[in-house]
């Protein structure tokens, strides 16, 4: 597929896996809307990275769970670049704790960003993406490994998987693919925060490839689904080094 001239919007694009996705798509010639929730300076740096990689970037802010904010973000990208071909739902938060002890406020925060946010963005994407486009959501390998302490987070990502598989079928006839990527342990601030060295080492040694994933590893999978992977649709793709 010739990806030059295509347009993407990446939520959570100002850091972590989202920023790696922006850079990777820009290297393929995409113009990319780089979404941020709070830190526009970080988003501006990723926009500069996109230009250096050979693409174009535009920082767009807002709460992914707010319909008006996301409609405005989509409007800005369409106005700047003429339309949207790919939407990557990389925005997410992870708050851990046993189900018996987790704060319901933390549960509600994850629901707002991970479930409602994915739904709001997917809704806008389903209305606006051009034929030949792709929607790529984010799940997690922990839906299969089922580590204690991840119950609320996994519940939010299992909901994302369900939305993904149904939306793929609802868009039948539009030539739009809808998939989810489920990373394993990946060296991002989201993953590393709150973990001691022993825990990080144990998780790094768990996959057969015996290392943590890097954001660029996940970005390669996203780039495939966004561009040449047109026969992959309605799937959850595990990018985890063989963990499970």
């Amino acid at each position: 597929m010739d990806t030059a001239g295509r347009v993407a919007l990446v939520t959570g694009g100002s850091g972590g896996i989202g920023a790696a996705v922006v850079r990777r798509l820009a290297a393929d010639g995409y113009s990319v809307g780089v979404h941020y929730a709070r830190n526009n300076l970080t988003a501006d740096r990723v926009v500069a990275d996109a230009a250096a990689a050979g693409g174009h970037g535009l920082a767009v802010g807002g709460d992914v769970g707010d319909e008006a904010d996301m409609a405005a973000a989509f409007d800005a990208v369409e106005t700047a670049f003429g339309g949207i071909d790919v939407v990557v739902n990389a925005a997410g938060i992870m708050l851990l704790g046993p189900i018996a002890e987790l704060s319901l406020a933390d549960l509600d925060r994850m629901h707002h960003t991970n479930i409602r946010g994915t739904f709001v963005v997917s809704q806008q994407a389903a209305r606006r993406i051009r034929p030949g486009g792709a929607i790529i959501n984010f799940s997690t390998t922990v839906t299969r490994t089922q580590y204690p302490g991840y119950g609320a987070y996994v519940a939010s990502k299992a909901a994302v998987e369900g939305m993904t598989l149904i939306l793929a079928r609802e868009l039948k006839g539009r030539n739009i693919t809808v998939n989810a990527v489920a990373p394993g342990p990946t060296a991002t601030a989201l993953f590393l925060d709150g973990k001691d060295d022993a825990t990080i080492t144990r998780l790094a040694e768990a996959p057969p490839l015996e290392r943590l994933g890097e954001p660029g590893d996940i970005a390669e999978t996203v780039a495939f689904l966004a561009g040449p992977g047109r026969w992959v649709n309605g799937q959850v793709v595990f990018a985890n080094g063989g963990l499970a």
Side-chain angles (χ1 to χ4, degrees), residues 48-107:
D49 291 345
H56 302 279
L58 172 73
V60 291
D63 175 1
V64 290
D66 185 285
E67 181 181 11
D69 281 2
M70 289 303 96
F74 274 76
D75 287 344
V77 174
E78 288 178 330
T79 298
F81 301 127
I84 298 178
D85 303 289
V86 174
V87 171
V88 182
N89 269 309
I93 61 173
M94 180 171 64
L95 303 170
L96 304 181
I99 290 172
E101 301 171 10
L102 188 81
S103 160
L104 293 181
D106 285 347
L107 176 68

Coordinates of all heavy atoms in Angstrom, one line a residue, residues 48-107:
A48 N 7.1 17.9 16.0 CA 8.4 18.2 15.4 C 9.1 16.9 15.0 O 9.7 16.8 13.9 CB 9.3 18.9 16.4
D49 N 9.0 15.8 15.8 CA 9.5 14.5 15.4 C 8.9 14.0 14.1 O 9.6 13.4 13.3 CB 9.3 13.5 16.5 CG 10.2 13.8 17.8 OD1 11.1 14.6 17.7 OD2 9.9 13.3 18.8
A50 N 7.6 14.2 14.0 CA 6.9 13.7 12.8 C 7.4 14.4 11.6 O 7.6 13.8 10.5 CB 5.4 14.0 13.0
A51 N 7.6 15.7 11.7 CA 8.2 16.5 10.5 C 9.6 16.0 10.2 O 9.9 15.8 9.0 CB 8.2 18.0 10.9
A52 N 10.4 15.7 11.2 CA 11.7 15.2 11.0 C 11.7 13.8 10.4 O 12.6 13.5 9.6 CB 12.5 15.1 12.3
A53 N 10.7 13.0 10.6 CA 10.6 11.7 10.1 C 10.0 11.7 8.6 O 10.0 10.6 8.0 CB 9.6 10.8 10.9
G54 N 9.6 12.8 8.2 CA 9.1 12.9 6.8 C 7.7 13.1 6.6 O 7.2 13.2 5.5
G55 N 6.9 13.2 7.7 CA 5.5 13.5 7.6 C 5.1 14.9 8.1 O 6.0 15.8 8.1
H56 N 3.9 15.1 8.4 CA 3.4 16.3 9.0 C 2.6 16.0 10.2 O 2.0 15.0 10.4 CB 2.5 17.0 7.9 CG 3.1 17.3 6.6 ND1 4.0 18.4 6.4 CD2 3.1 16.6 5.5 CE1 4.4 18.4 5.2 NE2 3.9 17.3 4.6
G57 N 2.6 17.0 11.2 CA 1.9 16.8 12.4 C 1.1 18.0 12.8 O 1.4 19.1 12.4
L58 N 0.1 17.7 13.7 CA -0.7 18.8 14.2 C -1.1 18.4 15.6 O -1.7 17.3 15.8 CB -2.0 19.0 13.4 CG -3.0 20.0 13.9 CD1 -2.5 21.4 13.8 CD2 -4.3 19.8 13.2
A59 N -0.8 19.2 16.6 CA -1.2 18.9 18.0 C -2.7 19.3 18.2 O -3.1 20.4 17.8 CB -0.4 19.7 19.0
V60 N -3.5 18.3 18.8 CA -4.9 18.6 19.1 C -5.1 18.1 20.5 O -4.8 17.0 20.8 CB -5.8 17.9 18.1 CG1 -5.7 18.5 16.7 CG2 -5.5 16.4 17.9
G61 N -5.8 18.9 21.3 CA -6.0 18.6 22.7 C -7.4 18.1 23.0 O -8.3 18.3 22.1
G62 N -7.6 17.7 24.2 CA -9.0 17.3 24.6 C -9.1 16.1 25.4 O -8.2 15.2 25.5
D63 N -10.2 15.9 26.1 CA -10.6 14.8 26.9 C -11.2 13.7 26.0 O -12.2 14.0 25.3 CB -11.5 15.2 28.0 CG -12.1 14.0 28.8 OD1 -11.7 12.9 28.6 OD2 -12.9 14.3 29.7
V64 N -10.6 12.5 25.9 CA -11.1 11.5 24.9 C -12.5 11.1 25.3 O -13.2 10.6 24.4 CB -10.2 10.3 24.9 CG1 -8.9 10.6 24.1 CG2 -9.9 9.7 26.2
G65 N -12.9 11.3 26.5 CA -14.2 10.9 26.9 C -15.3 11.9 26.7 O -16.5 11.7 27.0
D66 N -14.9 13.1 26.2 CA -15.8 14.2 25.9 C -16.1 14.3 24.5 O -15.2 14.6 23.6 CB -15.1 15.5 26.5 CG -16.1 16.7 26.4 OD1 -16.3 17.2 25.2 OD2 -16.6 17.1 27.4
E67 N -17.4 14.1 24.1 CA -17.8 14.1 22.7 C -17.4 15.4 22.0 O -16.9 15.4 20.8 CB -19.3 13.8 22.6 CG -19.8 13.8 21.2 CD -21.3 13.5 21.1 OE1 -21.9 13.6 22.1 OE2 -21.7 13.2 20.0
A68 N -17.7 16.6 22.6 CA -17.4 17.8 22.0 C -15.9 18.0 21.8 O -15.5 18.5 20.7 CB -17.9 19.0 22.9
D69 N -15.1 17.6 22.7 CA -13.6 17.7 22.6 C -13.1 16.9 21.4 O -12.3 17.3 20.6 CB -12.9 17.3 23.8 CG -12.9 18.3 24.9 OD1 -13.4 19.4 24.8 OD2 -12.3 18.0 26.0
M70 N -13.6 15.7 21.3 CA -13.2 14.8 20.2 C -13.7 15.2 18.9 O -13.0 15.1 17.8 CB -13.5 13.3 20.5 CG -12.7 12.8 21.7 SD -10.9 12.9 21.4 CE -10.4 14.4 22.3
A71 N -14.9 15.7 18.8 CA -15.4 16.2 17.5 C -14.6 17.4 17.1 O -14.3 17.5 15.9 CB -16.9 16.7 17.7
A72 N -14.2 18.2 18.0 CA -13.3 19.4 17.6 C -11.9 18.9 17.2 O -11.3 19.4 16.2 CB -13.1 20.3 18.8
A73 N -11.4 17.8 17.8 CA -10.1 17.3 17.4 C -10.2 16.7 16.0 O -9.3 17.0 15.1 CB -9.6 16.2 18.4
F74 N -11.2 16.0 15.7 CA -11.4 15.4 14.3 C -11.6 16.5 13.3 O -11.0 16.5 12.2 CB -12.6 14.5 14.3 CG -12.4 13.1 14.7 CD1 -12.2 12.7 16.0 CD2 -12.3 12.1 13.7 CE1 -11.9 11.4 16.4 CE2 -12.0 10.8 14.1 CZ -11.8 10.4 15.4
D75 N -12.4 17.6 13.7 CA -12.6 18.7 12.8 C -11.2 19.4 12.5 O -11.0 19.7 11.3 CB -13.5 19.8 13.5 CG -14.9 19.4 13.5 OD1 -15.3 18.4 12.8 OD2 -15.7 20.0 14.3
A76 N -10.4 19.5 13.5 CA -9.1 20.2 13.3 C -8.2 19.4 12.3 O -7.6 20.0 11.4 CB -8.4 20.4 14.6
V77 N -8.2 18.1 12.5 CA -7.3 17.3 11.6 C -7.9 17.3 10.2 O -7.1 17.4 9.2 CB -7.3 15.8 12.2 CG1 -6.5 14.9 11.2 CG2 -6.5 15.8 13.5
E78 N -9.2 17.2 10.0 CA -9.8 17.2 8.7 C -9.6 18.5 8.0 O -9.3 18.6 6.8 CB -11.3 16.9 8.8 CG -11.6 15.5 9.2 CD -13.1 15.2 9.3 OE1 -13.8 16.2 9.7 OE2 -13.6 14.1 9.1
T79 N -9.7 19.6 8.8 CA -9.5 20.9 8.2 C -8.0 21.1 7.7 O -7.7 21.6 6.6 CB -9.8 22.0 9.2 OG1 -11.2 21.9 9.5 CG2 -9.5 23.4 8.6
A80 N -7.1 20.6 8.5 CA -5.7 20.8 8.2 C -5.2 19.9 7.1 O -4.4 20.3 6.2 CB -4.8 20.5 9.5
F81 N -5.7 18.7 7.0 CA -5.2 17.7 6.1 C -6.2 17.1 5.1 O -5.8 16.3 4.3 CB -4.6 16.5 6.9 CG -3.5 16.9 7.9 CD1 -3.5 16.6 9.2 CD2 -2.4 17.7 7.4 CE1 -2.5 17.0 10.1 CE2 -1.4 18.1 8.3 CZ -1.5 17.7 9.6
G82 N -7.4 17.5 5.1 CA -8.4 17.2 4.1 C -9.2 15.9 4.4 O -10.1 15.6 3.6
G83 N -9.0 15.2 5.5 CA -9.8 14.0 5.8 C -9.0 13.2 6.8 O -7.9 13.6 7.2
I84 N -9.6 12.0 7.1 CA -8.9 11.1 8.0 C -9.0 9.7 7.5 O -10.1 9.2 7.1 CB -9.5 11.2 9.4 CG1 -9.3 12.6 10.0 CG2 -8.8 10.1 10.3 CD1 -9.9 12.7 11.4
D85 N -7.9 9.0 7.4 CA -7.9 7.6 7.0 C -7.7 6.6 8.1 O -8.1 5.4 8.0 CB -6.7 7.4 6.0 CG -6.9 8.3 4.8 OD1 -7.8 8.1 4.0 OD2 -6.1 9.3 4.7
V86 N -7.0 7.0 9.2 CA -6.6 6.0 10.2 C -6.8 6.7 11.6 O -6.4 7.9 11.7 CB -5.1 5.6 10.1 CG1 -4.7 4.8 11.3 CG2 -4.9 4.8 8.8
V87 N -7.4 6.0 12.5 CA -7.6 6.5 13.9 C -7.0 5.4 14.8 O -7.4 4.3 14.7 CB -9.0 6.8 14.3 CG1 -9.1 7.1 15.8 CG2 -9.5 8.0 13.5
V88 N -6.0 5.9 15.6 CA -5.4 5.0 16.6 C -5.8 5.4 18.0 O -5.4 6.5 18.4 CB -3.9 5.0 16.4 CG1 -3.2 4.0 17.4 CG2 -3.5 4.6 15.0
N89 N -6.5 4.6 18.7 CA -6.9 4.9 20.1 C -5.8 4.4 21.1 O -5.9 3.4 21.7 CB -8.2 4.1 20.4 CG -9.4 4.9 20.1 OD1 -9.6 6.1 20.5 ND2 -10.3 4.3 19.3
A90 N -4.8 5.2 21.2 CA -3.7 4.8 22.1 C -3.8 5.5 23.5 O -3.0 5.1 24.4 CB -2.3 5.2 21.5
A91 N -4.8 6.4 23.7 CA -4.9 7.0 25.0 C -5.4 6.0 26.0 O -6.4 5.2 25.7 CB -5.9 8.2 24.9
G92 N -4.8 5.9 27.2 CA -5.3 5.0 28.2 C -4.6 5.3 29.5 O -3.5 5.9 29.6
I93 N -5.2 4.8 30.6 CA -4.6 4.9 31.9 C -4.7 3.5 32.6 O -5.6 2.7 32.3 CB -5.2 6.0 32.9 CG1 -6.7 5.7 33.1 CG2 -5.1 7.4 32.2 CD1 -7.4 6.6 34.1
M94 N -3.7 3.2 33.5 CA -3.7 2.0 34.2 C -3.5 2.2 35.7 O -2.5 2.7 36.1 CB -2.6 1.1 33.7 CG -2.4 -0.3 34.3 SD -1.2 -1.3 33.5 CE 0.3 -0.5 33.8
L95 N -4.5 1.9 36.5 CA -4.5 2.0 37.9 C -4.7 0.6 38.5 O -5.7 0.0 38.2 CB -5.6 3.0 38.4 CG -5.5 4.4 37.8 CD1 -6.8 5.2 38.1 CD2 -4.3 5.1 38.2
L96 N -3.8 0.2 39.3 CA -3.7 -1.2 39.7 C -4.1 -1.4 41.2 O -3.9 -0.5 42.0 CB -2.3 -1.8 39.5 CG -1.8 -1.7 38.0 CD1 -0.4 -2.4 38.0 CD2 -2.8 -2.4 37.1
G97 N -4.6 -2.5 41.5 CA -4.9 -2.9 42.9 C -5.9 -4.1 42.9 O -6.6 -4.3 42.0
P98 N -5.9 -4.8 44.0 CA -6.8 -5.9 44.1 C -8.3 -5.5 44.0 O -8.6 -4.4 44.5 CB -6.5 -6.5 45.5 CG -5.2 -6.0 45.9 CD -5.0 -4.7 45.2
I99 N -9.1 -6.3 43.4 CA -10.5 -5.9 43.3 C -11.1 -5.6 44.6 O -11.9 -4.6 44.7 CB -11.3 -7.0 42.6 CG1 -10.8 -7.1 41.1 CG2 -12.8 -6.8 42.6 CD1 -11.4 -8.3 40.3
A100 N -10.8 -6.3 45.7 CA -11.4 -6.0 47.0 C -11.0 -4.7 47.6 O -11.7 -4.2 48.5 CB -11.0 -7.2 47.9
E101 N -9.9 -4.1 47.1 CA -9.4 -2.9 47.7 C -9.4 -1.7 46.8 O -9.2 -0.6 47.2 CB -7.9 -3.2 48.1 CG -7.8 -4.3 49.1 CD -6.4 -4.7 49.4 OE1 -5.5 -4.0 49.0 OE2 -6.2 -5.7 50.1
L102 N -9.5 -1.9 45.5 CA -9.4 -0.7 44.5 C -10.4 0.3 44.8 O -11.6 0.0 45.0 CB -9.5 -1.2 43.1 CG -9.2 -0.2 42.0 CD1 -7.7 0.0 41.8 CD2 -9.8 -0.5 40.7
S103 N -10.0 1.6 44.8 CA -10.9 2.7 44.9 C -11.9 2.8 43.7 O -11.5 2.6 42.6 CB -10.1 4.0 45.0 OG -10.9 5.1 44.7
L104 N -13.1 3.0 44.0 CA -14.1 3.1 43.0 C -13.9 4.3 42.2 O -14.3 4.4 41.0 CB -15.5 3.0 43.5 CG -16.0 1.7 44.2 CD1 -17.4 1.8 44.7 CD2 -15.8 0.6 43.2
A105 N -13.3 5.3 42.8 CA -12.9 6.5 42.0 C -11.9 6.2 40.9 O -12.0 6.7 39.8 CB -12.4 7.6 42.9
D106 N -10.9 5.3 41.3 CA -10.0 4.9 40.3 C -10.6 4.0 39.2 O -10.3 4.1 38.0 CB -8.9 4.0 40.9 CG -7.9 4.9 41.7 OD1 -7.9 6.1 41.5 OD2 -7.1 4.3 42.5
L107 N -11.6 3.2 39.6 CA -12.4 2.4 38.6 C -13.1 3.4 37.6 O -13.1 3.2 36.4 CB -13.4 1.5 39.3 CG -14.3 0.8 38.4 CD1 -13.6 -0.3 37.6 CD2 -15.4 0.1 39.2

